[in-house]
Structures are given as C-alpha cells and as structure tokens.
Amino acid sequence: MHQFTWRRVLIACAIVLFGLLVAIAIPYTRLARRVDHQLAAGPFVRTYSFYSASEVLSRGDQSSPEDIVPTLKRLGFHETGSALSPGSYLVKKDSLVLRPASPGGHAISFGFVKGVVDSIRDVDSGSKIDEYPIPPQLIANVSDSGREKRVFVHFAELPPVLVNAIVSAEDKRFFTHAGFDPLRIAKAAYVDFKDQRKEQGASTLTMQLARNLWLDPDKRWKRKATELLITLHLERKLTKQQIFEYYCNQVYLGGRSTFSINGFGQAAHEFFNKSVNRLSLPEAALLAGLIQRPSFFNPVRYPDRAFDRRNIVLRLMHDNRYINDAQFAEAVASPVKLSPGITELSDTQYYLDLAAEETQKHLEDREWHGVADVYTTIDLRLQRAAENAIRDGMKKLDLEIKRRRKGVHEDVPPQVALIALDPRTGQVKALCGGRSYSVSQLNRILAKRPPGSVFKPFVYATALSTAVNPSPKVFTQSSTVTDAPTVFRYANQTYSPDNFEHQFYGQVTFRLALAKSLNVATVRVGEMVGFDAVVALAKRAGMNEDIQPTPAVALGAYGVTPLEIAGAYTIFANGGVRERPVLIDSVRQGDGTGIYEREASPRRVLDPRIAFLMVDMLQEVMRSGTAAGVRSMGFKQPAAGKTGTSHDGWFAGFTSGLLCVVWVGYDNYHELNVEGAHSALPIWTQFMLEASHSRKFREAKPFTVPPGVTRATVDPGTGGLANEFCPAVVTAYFIDGTQPTSSCALHDGITEPVTVLENVAGEQIRPY
C-alpha cells in the first residue's frame, strides 16, 4: 500500500513536470521561431541609412580646412598630429592632407589661398590633380518603427574601453554567465528586502536586449516569463559577441531634437562628433553611464550629473581592474567635453522626413528586411548654403519687419521654406522647411499658400503658346495690353485688382507687363487667352487640382506648395519638359542588392520655343523688373526668375543648372507686408551666390536659343520694331513668322536721346 502511494505520487509529479515542460516548450518554440525569423533578416527590421549625393572638390572652389573637416569626420576619418595612417587627416596652416582608409589609397594634399582651393596634389606620386571625389556621406540612420537614429557598429569596431565600461556599469559577468547572473539576482533581492523597496536591477545585457527588441516595457509576470524564454534562446542561438553587438546598436541613450539616440555608434557622433572606435576612456565611461537613466544623465542638459555618473563608471572599471590607478586618476579629473556633432546639419531633417516618406512609398510593395542604404540626391554643400542663407536672410527680415512696424513686437516670427533642385533631372539638392527643425517640425515645403506673382509666368506662357497651338489670335512678347483700373466680371461676381502702389502704365507689351509684374495687365492677358487654358497649363506643370479658372487665378490666388512651384518651374528651365522633384536616387540592401532605382519621368508640357521665350522674359524681370535686386546684390550668372507677393513673399529663379524657390510668411496666415523682392529674393540670392562657389555651379551657361526662334530689336514700350528715334530698345525673341514687321509708330520721326540696353547675353543693342 505504501509503495503504491509513492508510485502514484511519482506518476503525478511526472505528469505535472511533463505538463510544465509542454507549457514551456510550446511558447518557447513559438518565440524561438519568431526570434529566429527576425535574426535571419537582421534584428533591426526596416531601418534606413540615408546617404548624401557624392560631391567633387575642385581647384578654384571656395573652401577651407574648417569647411572640409566636418565632412571628413562624417566619412569616418580621424585627426592625427603626425604621420598619416589609413583613414586619417592632418591639418596644417593653409593646407590639409588626408589618406583614405581603403587599401592602397594615396595621400591627397589640399592647398588653400584666401579661402579658395588653390591646389590638389597626390602626395605619393607627386602629381597634380584638378578635382577630388568625395563619396556619399552617411547623414542619418532612421528606424521605420519610430523617430530613432542609429549608426550601426560591429563588435570588432568597439574599443576595449567601451566594452569594459559597459560591462562594468551594467553586467560585469556578461561574458561568463549563461544569460542570468545568480549572484546579481541574489544581491538585488537581499538589498531590496533589506531596504523594503525595489531599487536593485538584476537584468543582464541579454535580458535587456530581449526586452528592447521583442517586448513591451511593462512589468507583468507574463512579460517577465517571455523575457526569460527569449533570453535562454538568445544565449543558445548567438555568441556573446553577437549579443553584445546587437545590444550596443539597440540601447536607448537619450535624445536630440525630436529623435531618440539608439546605440553607441550614434551616441558617439551626437555627443563627441567621432566614430565609436575613436572614443577615449572618459568618453566611453560617460556613454556607458547613460544606459541607466539617459534623460536624467543627459550631458547636454545636465553636465554635472553626467560628470558624477561618468566617475562612478570609472570607479567600477577601476574596481574590476580594467584601468589602473594612474588611468583612473587622470580620467576622473578630466572635464566633460562635448562636441556639437552632426547636429550642425539638424535642418537637413526636413529633407530626411520627405526622403523617408518617399522611400517607404517606393518600397511598400517590395520584400526586404534589415538595413536599407538609401542614396539621396542632397548636396550637403548646397544644404549648408541654404541654411546659411536662411539664417542671415531671416535675421535681416526680422529687423525690416520691426522697422516697418515701428517696434511692434511679434510673438511669432515669420517662417521660411527653400527648395533647390536640378531642373534637368528633378533631383532635389537642398531643402529647408523652416527656420529651425528643433523648434518646429512643420515642413512648409508642403504648405499650400497663394503664390502671388510667382504664378504669372504661367499666364504669359499660355498666351505665347498661341503661336504654336491652333488659336484665333496669336500673342507674342510684343503684343500689347492696357494696364488701367478695371472691373472684371466672372460667374456673376466682380473682381477689381490693383497694381503695386496704385501705379498704372497704360498700353504696355506683355514683356514689360511681366517685368514690372503688373496685376491688371496680367488679368487682362488671362482673360484674352481664357482662364481655363491657364489652369490647364498649371496642372500639366504639376500644380494641384484646387486651382480654379477665375480672374483671381492670374494673380496666384489659389494655394500651391513651394514643392509644386519648384516642379512647375522646371518647364521653363528645362526647355518645356517637366521633371518631378525627387529626393531618392536608389535604395540597396546591406549586401548591395538593389531594391529601387530612380527612373526618369520627363513630361513635355511646353514647346521648347515657348519655354525659351518665357526664359527670355524672366531674364528681363531680373534685368529691369521686380527682381533687379538680384543683380545689385552681386549675382551675375545668366539667370531668370520671378518675385511674388501675396500674404507672403516668394521668389522662384533658376540658372541653366540650378533652380531654387524661396517662400517667406507666417504660419498663422497673417500678412507679411514685405514684398517678395525684399523678403524671399535676398535669401535666394545669397544661396545662389554660395552655390556658385563650387565648380559644378559656378559655370552656369547662357540659355540656348532653340531652332525656330527669331530675335528682333524692338521698342520695349510699344513692341514695334525699333527705329532711330526710339528712346530705348531691347532684344526680344519670337517664334519664326510671328515677329513684328512694322516700325514703332509712337516714336517715328521724334528725335530723343537713345538709351542703349543689353540683351540676355550681355550684348549691347543699338537702335537701327
């Protein structure tokens, strides 16, 4: 009987044990399958590494060692004080020498004279070279699951001081335990029991990794049990080095701007502006100390707290015999030295936000996992030029607004948006959606606002297109229109536009009406060709469907975005072909496999002859019209553009290789009350001047006259062929067969002093 009872007990225990094993095995198997699937694809699913476009540094470029060093640091170079090793650079007076990290890479020397690259030389061969290619630079690594930034590092890249600092601070027996540290658990339980509160943590690095990658941050028993199972599997599946590597790439270490900093690679860049393998002992200890409470020990906001926590980590490293007495004493005495890091490019985030959206759209139907390398179109030199122009231009605008409003305080300052692209490809080279991304993440590049007179070229392009499209009446640059107070009637409504400062010019040519941005004359032109036709052209150029065919459309009354205006203006700068603005060139997986390649999507919108006629008229805007300030500010390249003033200030202008649109206004839609010529135009001009410092953009070519276009010397007021009595003459262009054939009747037989003007190529034009 006794033996029978024990047998029953043993059977019952076996059944219970078997049940427990089954209860554990089933969820363990499911979890293991889920973890293995993610590990096979890479633990960081759908993470994007964004790279800039490649650049070329040429002789004659305006640059200095101070300009180049941040670029080298982003490329992983480190500074040296003596002999060059692979991946290092050396700065001397008026010179900079670098040696690429690639095997066999030649050392390159740059010489500078008065802020200009005077020479580039291959040090190893002694030969002179004209230019040096700069490879794409890593801008940011952003997670698909949230606003995270990280720079991935491998275990081999982690310096011993960082590894030792992390294990000392978080898990000193990590490399010897099996995922759990019994001694630490026992100690934590004893301290918590003694103090009657839960203060001690017993999580190992493996447990923290399991929690961070696969679990929600709650403290329910079910989550704890799941964490234990994942920890067991990770320890069985991965090596200690792999676990440590994943942990160092995932751990949260605080935030900058609106993004979280994940991983030590990103933290090294953010706080010290260096690659992780260049961290010093005090720097490594400071970063390891952040793990416990990243926000509380944030060295930017709380340097004293960070200093104390760093020294605690250094003490632990000393106690664990990772550093000796002298190293400890020197390290604890050193101050906390931070660098602005890559946050100097913080406003690039406006670009990256749009690039991330574009990337996700391109990849949403494609199978991929892990890390995607996204090669963008951004030119970091142009991006810096844009940020500089915005900073300087908005400071001046703030003062101008204060002056005009006689010291009335503005609670909210005006905002700005700038987009620059290559009109031949649509590749966006620079983009800023506001004055400061850290202050406001609203991207004004996508904000609909009335474009004002920036829209007028589409009215005149519609009119000039009558020369190539079936039309009862053909209009040219020399066609005339009456500029006088007028009431327009449309759909049982009236519309009474006014000119700037109530000034009217009477009978004027289309060319002069656009140059002077005459409102009434432009609405009359729109009425002549039909507002439906104007809207149709605007929509073919890429503007939104909300634009309506009313008289007000001629003056840009309907909201469009700066992005739309930039894309629409490519039809003028690109010979009538519209190029859609794009921010992504290609996307590749970590192994180099292509996921996406940009495909050109040109669309013929205007006849190339009409496009050139519009370029010619927009050049006149810069020569003698509302945008003449561009020339007085020193920008002399062949260029064309148009100012705009509505509630806001606008300027859209371009050379043969670069198109830029600037918007300035208030987010709350208040009137800016500063014309585009005095708000947006100065920012555009400074940006274009800085852009012209590089070889790629300093040699803008004159716009090419296409076949089928004839030029004639005309009176700018009447549009007739100029005669010897016209007081001023100018070169105008016409579709073959539409040029004027009659002499200017207004000045026929009248002797007046003759003014010699210059055409778009800078040639002097004298009257017949």
Side-chain angles (χ1 to χ4, degrees):
M1 183 71 180
H2 181 74
Q3 185 179 4
F4 177 74
T5 302
W6 275 109
R7 183 181 301 170
R8 293 179 62 182
V9 171
L10 289 174
I11 292 172
C13 289
I15 292 173
V16 171
L17 181 61
F18 178 77
L20 287 173
L21 290 174
V22 171
I24 294 173
I26 292 175
Y28 175 83
T29 302
R30 291 174 179 171
L31 285 170
R33 191 179 297 118
R34 171 187 163 197
V35 171
D36 287 347
H37 178 74
Q38 185 170 342
L39 290 176
F44 307 102
V45 177
R46 292 187 179 270
T47 302
Y48 307 102
S49 294
F50 288 93
Y51 290 86
S52 70
S54 58
E55 301 175 30
V56 174
L57 190 61
S58 307
R59 287 193 303 114
D61 287 355
Q62 290 196 10
S63 190
S64 67
E66 291 75 18
D67 296 330
I68 299 174
V69 164
T71 298
L72 296 179
K73 288 184 176 180
R74 282 190 293 274
L75 289 169
F77 284 81
H78 61 275
E79 186 172 8
T80 182
S82 54
L84 284 174
S85 58
S88 67
Y89 67 91
L90 175 63
V91 177
K92 298 180 181 179
K93 184 179 180 182
D94 296 328
S95 70
L96 182 149
V97 186
L98 63 85
R99 184 178 292 279
S102 55
H106 286 203
I108 305 296
S109 172
F110 301 88
F112 303 88
V113 175
K114 297 181 179 179
V116 174
V117 179
D118 181 63
S119 64
I120 307 177
R121 187 169 56 89
D122 185 318
V123 176
D124 295 339
S125 68
S127 60
K128 294 182 178 180
I129 55 180
D130 289 331
E131 57 186 33
Y132 180 76
I134 299 174
Q137 302 168 49
L138 178 64
I139 308 172
N141 187 287
V142 182
S143 169
D144 190 26
S145 61
R147 300 180 70 81
E148 303 173 352
K149 284 187 177 182
R150 62 167 60 82
V151 172
F152 285 94
V153 295
H154 297 293
F155 183 82
E157 299 175 80
L158 300 172
V161 287
L162 180 60
V163 176
N164 296 337
I166 294 170
V167 296
S168 295
E170 294 295 314
D171 187 0
K172 69 179 182 179
R173 280 177 284 273
F174 169 76
F175 288 100
T176 58
H177 64 59
F180 309 97
D181 189 345
L183 293 176
R184 190 175 180 189
I185 293 173
K187 178 182 177 182
Y190 170 74
V191 173
D192 290 343
F193 176 78
K194 183 183 69 173
D195 296 341
Q196 295 298 303
R197 57 180 179 175
K198 192 178 187 318
E199 284 291 328
Q200 296 293 305
S203 293
T204 63
L205 295 185
T206 313
M207 295 167 70
Q208 291 181 45
L209 178 65
R211 180 166 61 247
N212 291 339
L213 280 178
W214 286 280
L215 301 173
D216 296 325
D218 61 69
K219 296 184 178 181
R220 292 176 299 172
W221 69 267
K222 185 177 180 180
R223 199 274 293 162
K224 284 287 187 181
T226 304
E227 179 184 303
L228 294 176
L229 293 178
I230 294 176
T231 298
L232 287 171
H233 185 67
L234 290 176
E235 289 283 343
R236 186 180 69 84
K237 183 77 176 180
L238 304 174
T239 66
K240 284 290 187 178
Q241 288 76 14
Q242 288 175 309
I243 293 172
F244 199 86
E245 177 181 307
Y246 289 153
Y247 177 83
C248 286
N249 283 311
Q250 174 61 24
V251 64
Y252 172 69
L253 295 172
R256 277 285 184 98
S257 184
T258 63
F259 282 80
S260 65
I261 299 171
N262 288 77
F264 288 96
Q266 185 68 34
H269 277 265
E270 291 286 348
F271 294 118
F272 303 113
N273 195 18
K274 60 172 61 175
S275 57
V276 69
N277 62 341
R278 306 299 303 174
L279 290 173
S280 66
L281 170 60
E283 291 167 346
L286 186 142
L287 295 185
L290 294 177
I291 300 173
Q292 187 183 77
R293 298 173 68 183
S295 298
F296 186 81
F297 293 121
N298 186 310
V300 176
R301 299 186 62 186
Y302 308 111
D304 292 340
R305 295 178 185 174
F307 178 85
D308 293 339
R309 175 60 183 166
R310 182 204 68 180
N311 287 355
I312 290 174
V313 175
L314 289 170
R315 168 60 67 182
L316 292 171
M317 295 179 71
H318 181 264
D319 293 344
N320 292 327
R321 300 182 180 179
Y322 289 124
I323 57 177
N324 57 36
D325 293 345
Q327 291 172 315
F328 172 72
E330 182 181 358
V332 296
S334 65
V336 172
K337 295 181 180 180
L338 301 178
S339 168
I342 59 172
T343 55
E344 64 185 79
L345 294 174
S346 60
D347 292 334
T348 305
Q349 194 58 52
Y350 289 114
Y351 183 103
L352 292 178
D353 283 353
L354 294 183
E357 291 180 14
E358 186 175 312
T359 302
Q360 290 172 1
K361 181 178 69 175
H362 291 316
L363 303 187
E364 60 185 358
D365 297 326
R366 302 171 190 254
E367 286 295 328
W368 70 280
H369 297 281
V371 180
D373 292 332
V374 182
Y375 293 92
T376 72
T377 62
I378 192 171
D379 184 314
L380 292 181
R381 282 189 289 183
L382 291 189
Q383 181 66 26
R384 286 190 288 273
E387 294 176 14
N388 291 338
I390 284 174
R391 182 191 63 240
D392 297 343
M394 294 306 288
K395 284 181 180 178
K396 293 176 183 177
L397 180 60
D398 290 341
L399 293 174
E400 176 65 13
I401 291 173
K402 184 177 181 181
R403 183 188 68 80
R404 292 193 181 198
R405 300 185 182 181
K406 298 180 179 179
V408 176
H409 178 68
E410 289 287 342
D411 292 330
V412 180
Q415 276 293 346
V416 64
L418 182 153
I419 178 172
L421 53 81
D422 185 333
R424 300 160 297 189
T425 63
Q427 294 178 322
V428 177
K429 298 299 181 182
L431 186 151
C432 289
R435 297 177 73 151
S436 171
Y437 189 86
S438 61
V439 173
S440 171
Q441 293 79 58
L442 175 64
N443 200 333
R444 286 93 184 163
I445 289 294
L446 302 179
K448 284 186 178 180
R449 303 297 287 252
S453 297
V454 165
F455 185 86
K456 288 177 180 176
F458 298 92
V459 178
Y460 290 93
T462 304
L464 297 184
S465 293
T466 57
V468 296
N469 298 327
S471 177
K473 183 175 177 58
V474 173
F475 296 102
T476 71
Q477 290 188 3
S478 290
S479 295
T480 58
V481 61
T482 302
D483 182 53
T486 306
V487 176
F488 296 90
R489 290 177 172 81
Y490 188 88
N492 298 321
Q493 296 181 358
T494 60
Y495 181 58
S496 304
D498 196 1
N499 282 350
F500 181 66
E501 294 184 343
H502 315 292
Q503 185 175 2
F504 295 90
Y505 286 71
Q507 199 76 3
V508 294
T509 62
F510 284 14
R511 182 185 183 89
L512 182 62
L514 180 60
K516 298 298 183 184
S517 199
L518 304 180
N519 290 340
V520 176
T522 302
V523 178
R524 281 188 179 274
V525 173
E527 188 177 50
M528 291 176 185
V529 299
F531 299 119
D532 286 327
V534 173
V535 171
L537 174 61
K539 291 181 179 179
R540 289 200 306 275
M543 295 190 215
N544 63 76
E545 295 295 322
D546 295 338
I547 302 173
Q548 299 300 313
T550 68
V553 74
L555 304 184
Y558 295 94
V560 295
T561 69
L563 182 66
E564 290 174 339
I565 288 293
Y569 262 67
T570 61
I571 71 172
F572 304 132
N574 193 34
V577 175
R578 177 183 181 265
E579 286 288 351
R580 178 177 56 86
V582 295
L583 297 93
I584 302 301
D585 239 1
S586 65
V587 183
R588 299 185 177 278
Q589 284 200 230
D591 61 1
T593 305
I595 308 175
Y596 164 79
E597 293 286 343
R598 179 180 65 88
E599 295 182 0
S601 56
R603 180 185 181 188
R604 170 66 64 186
V605 175
L606 280 181
D607 183 287
R609 296 168 293 176
I610 302 302
F612 176 78
L613 298 185
M614 287 306 306
V615 170
D616 177 49
M617 292 175 69
L618 291 171
Q619 285 185 296
E620 186 66 32
V621 175
M622 280 195 177
R623 191 186 66 78
S624 64
T626 56
V630 169
R631 301 308 189 192
S632 65
M633 292 174 65
F635 187 71
K636 303 301 182 184
Q637 290 186 353
K642 186 70 187 75
T643 55
T645 305
S646 54
H647 283 80
D648 318 315
W650 291 77
F651 189 76
F654 52 89
T655 64
S656 58
L658 189 61
L659 186 157
C660 178
V661 174
V662 179
W663 166 88
V664 179
Y666 287 101
D667 287 338
N668 59 13
Y669 212 66
H670 284 174
E671 292 272 2
L672 183 66
N673 288 320
V674 180
E675 306 81 37
H678 296 100
S679 55
L681 181 146
I683 295 173
W684 183 95
T685 306
Q686 180 176 332
F687 168 75
M688 295 296 282
L689 282 168
E690 285 202 41
S692 66
H693 293 166
S694 66
R695 183 175 184 176
K696 183 177 180 180
F697 299 107
R698 69 170 174 262
E699 298 174 355
K701 299 177 181 178
F703 298 98
T704 304
V705 182
V709 172
T710 298
R711 75 176 185 175
T713 308
V714 300
D715 182 289
T718 67
L721 290 173
N723 57 55
E724 60 180 334
F725 303 112
C726 292
V729 296
V730 68
T731 296
Y733 289 86
F734 305 87
I735 304 296
D736 284 352
T738 67
Q739 63 268 31
T741 56
S742 301
S743 178
C744 171
L746 181 62
H747 302 111
D748 193 11
I750 301 176
T751 303
E752 294 182 6
V754 175
T755 301
V756 178
L757 304 180
E758 290 184 349
N759 69 357
V760 293
E763 303 166 334
Q764 289 192 339
I765 304 300
R766 298 184 180 278
Y768 294 161

